[in-house]
Amino acid sequence: MGGSGFLGGAVVQVMKEQKKNFALIPSGVRLDDRKTIAEFLDRWKPKYFICAAGTAGRPNIGWCENNKGETIDINVTGQLNVAELCRQRGVHCTLFGTGCLYYYDKDHPKGSGKAYTEEDAPNFTGNFYGRMRIALENLVRQYDNVLSLRIAFPVDSQGHPRSLQSKLCKYPKITSTLTSYTIIDSLFPLIPEMAKKNLTGVYNFTNPGVTTNKYILSMYKKYVNPEHSWIDAEEQVTSVPRAFSELDMTKLLKDFPDIPHVEKAVEASMKKLGEIVKKQKEETA
């Protein structure tokens, strides 16, 4: 469900590449339409259900501040609808959450390697979107059929407008802070296997290690667009912390020990994106 969106589209691509047998709930079906979702589940009788539907606001999470009721309906109530419908039918359910739940503090200083685990209580409550993600996560922990994946600053190799590198390229100035990132090409292929293994609970779903926006743009410049430029702006000190942190990957690495370091994964993705862009230019020349 949600296969027409940014993350859902990436899941669909993985399913096709891995030659999985799958079906898509039509994009017009909303998360609050329990009756229709139930009908599809009863008709198809799947073993696994992946829900990539949700909202991060348009154009950004600031939208959620002014649309709180709709945000709750989509990102909390709607997700629980799916989780419960799947539980009733014995179906494994994968939901997408956020990894932007923490900020560096005295126990987790920046650059120290002391990372936040899935059991650490979130300390970032700086926006309504994040607070609702925390609320959802606390609730889905009660479901024994739900796998909740914490995604942070997703980077892809397809140049999707909602990927992090596409967003960064729009800004003349960027700030850079060491933090965790989700590199879609190296992590999303694991999702079908995680469901097959019947993994449940909350998982940090980022690559091992930390890097910066500057590094990502440097790889974009190297492999995709040598003409791209930006100004490195100093990180502003504010009274409200920002959701930058290192997430502990021990739990995911137990089942998938070969996940590449974030900087290696970023470089591979930007190299692939560069090849795609080059091919597109040749075809239109």
Side-chain angles (χ1 to χ4, degrees), residues 192-205:
E193 186 62 20
M194 294 180 78
K196 187 177 179 181
K197 286 174 174 281
N198 197 37
L199 299 182
T200 58
V202 176
Y203 276 77
N204 289 336
F205 204 57

Side-chain angles (χ1 to χ4, degrees), residues 33-107:
D33 191 350
R34 288 184 66 141
K35 181 176 181 293
T36 301
I37 297 171
E39 288 172 353
F40 278 110
L41 286 170
D42 293 336
R43 183 188 313 166
W44 293 336
K45 295 180 169 52
K47 290 183 179 179
Y48 316 109
F49 190 99
I50 299 172
C51 180
T55 184
R58 294 281 184 166
N60 52 49
I61 59 175
W63 176 91
C64 300
E65 302 292 336
N66 298 318
N67 298 271
K68 293 180 178 178
E70 191 171 352
T71 300
I72 293 170
D73 195 33
I74 297 171
N75 283 356
V76 182
T77 312
Q79 307 294 325
L80 294 176
N81 282 338
V82 171
E84 175 60 14
L85 289 170
C86 288
R87 186 198 66 79
Q88 292 171 359
R89 292 160 177 80
V91 176
H92 182 280
C93 177
T94 299
L95 301 177
F96 290 161
T98 182
C100 300
L101 302 173
Y102 305 98
Y103 58 83
Y104 293 115
D105 62 13
K106 62 181 179 62
D107 295 319

Side-chain angles (χ1 to χ4, degrees), residues 10-273:
V11 173
V12 169
Q13 184 64 30
V14 165
M15 294 295 186
K16 291 178 178 178
E17 291 174 353
Q18 296 184 3
K19 295 179 169 53
K20 301 293 186 183
N21 183 23
F22 71 99
L24 288 170
I25 289 182
S27 59
V29 178
R30 293 176 56 85
L31 286 164
D32 60 1
D33 191 350
R34 288 184 66 141
K35 181 176 181 293
T36 301
I37 297 171
E39 288 172 353
F40 278 110
L41 286 170
D42 293 336
R43 183 188 313 166
W44 293 336
K45 295 180 169 52
K47 290 183 179 179
Y48 316 109
F49 190 99
I50 299 172
C51 180
T55 184
R58 294 281 184 166
N60 52 49
I61 59 175
W63 176 91
C64 300
E65 302 292 336
N66 298 318
N67 298 271
K68 293 180 178 178
E70 191 171 352
T71 300
I72 293 170
D73 195 33
I74 297 171
N75 283 356
V76 182
T77 312
Q79 307 294 325
L80 294 176
N81 282 338
V82 171
E84 175 60 14
L85 289 170
C86 288
R87 186 198 66 79
Q88 292 171 359
R89 292 160 177 80
V91 176
H92 182 280
C93 177
T94 299
L95 301 177
F96 290 161
T98 182
C100 300
L101 302 173
Y102 305 98
Y103 58 83
Y104 293 115
D105 62 13
K106 62 181 179 62
D107 295 319
H108 305 84
K110 181 168 61 176
S112 68
K114 294 181 179 179
Y116 288 97
T117 74
E118 291 83 352
E119 302 308 315
D120 287 322
N123 61 6
F124 178 78
T125 57
N127 56 56
F128 187 75
Y129 170 83
R131 293 195 294 274
M132 292 306 97
R133 285 302 190 184
I134 293 170
L136 174 66
E137 187 175 280
N138 288 334
L139 290 167
V140 299
R141 286 179 185 272
Q142 314 309 314
Y143 287 83
D144 61 7
N145 66 312
V146 172
L147 170 65
S148 180
L149 301 177
R150 288 175 166 179
I151 294 172
F153 307 115
V155 173
D156 77 343
S157 65
Q158 304 302 307
H160 192 284
R162 292 185 72 83
S163 65
L164 178 70
Q165 81 277 2
S166 294
K167 293 178 179 179
L168 291 176
C169 286
K170 296 178 181 178
Y171 298 106
K173 294 182 179 181
I174 65 161
T175 58
S176 290
T177 301
L178 287 169
T179 193
S180 291
Y181 295 83
T182 298
I183 314 305
I184 286 176
D185 283 32
S186 58
L187 289 172
F188 273 45
L190 307 181
I191 294 175
E193 186 62 20
M194 294 180 78
K196 187 177 179 181
K197 286 174 174 281
N198 197 37
L199 299 182
T200 58
V202 176
Y203 276 77
N204 289 336
F205 204 57
T206 58
N207 289 73
V210 290
T211 191
T212 65
N213 291 339
K214 181 178 180 179
Y215 179 81
I216 292 170
L217 282 183
S218 72
M219 291 297 101
Y220 179 86
K221 182 180 178 71
K222 179 178 180 180
Y223 291 107
V224 184
N225 181 9
E227 302 302 316
H228 184 70
S229 63
W230 67 92
I231 297 172
D232 293 314
E234 289 188 16
E235 184 182 0
Q236 295 182 344
V237 178
T238 62
S239 59
V240 179
R242 301 184 69 184
F244 298 127
S245 66
E246 181 172 358
L247 301 182
D248 188 290
M249 297 313 302
T250 303
K251 186 175 180 180
L252 185 62
L253 288 170
K254 285 180 180 178
D255 284 282
F256 303 97
D258 298 325
I259 299 171
H261 184 277
V262 61
E263 292 192 341
K264 183 178 179 181
V266 166
E267 183 169 14
S269 286
M270 293 303 98
K271 185 175 182 180
K272 184 176 179 180
L273 176 58

